[in-house]
Amino acid sequence: PPARKASALLGQLQKEALAKVHRPWPDFKAGDAIEMEILVDVDAPKPQKVKGLVLGRRNRGADSSVQLFCRVMGTPMRRH
């Protein structure tokens, strides 16, 4: 079926993109306190440093994400 071919092709492209980055992913898990830099907006001039507690981690290759609990201007927030 075409859906399987498209899915396999997309998976291969993601693997190639990750291989080009050559950046090791740090080892952390839920409950760890971390500091990371994120782009608040695509057009942001520089990344913003965020400190917080890891609520969860989703490992999906190039689409990996982290749920982070942090405080912004004194207000508790969840960031994805």
Side-chain angles (χ1 to χ4, degrees), residues 7-50:
S7 178
L9 182 59
L10 184 60
Q12 182 64 30
L13 289 172
Q14 286 182 345
K15 285 180 185 177
E16 289 175 9
L18 282 176
K20 288 180 183 177
V21 173
H22 295 296
R23 187 173 46 194
W25 293 97
D27 186 29
F28 60 90
K29 60 186 182 296
D32 290 347
I34 64 169
E35 179 178 346
M36 58 192 275
E37 292 183 348
I38 61 169
L39 287 175
V40 179
D41 188 19
V42 176
D43 299 327
K46 63 179 185 174
Q48 176 184 1
K49 284 191 177 182
V50 177

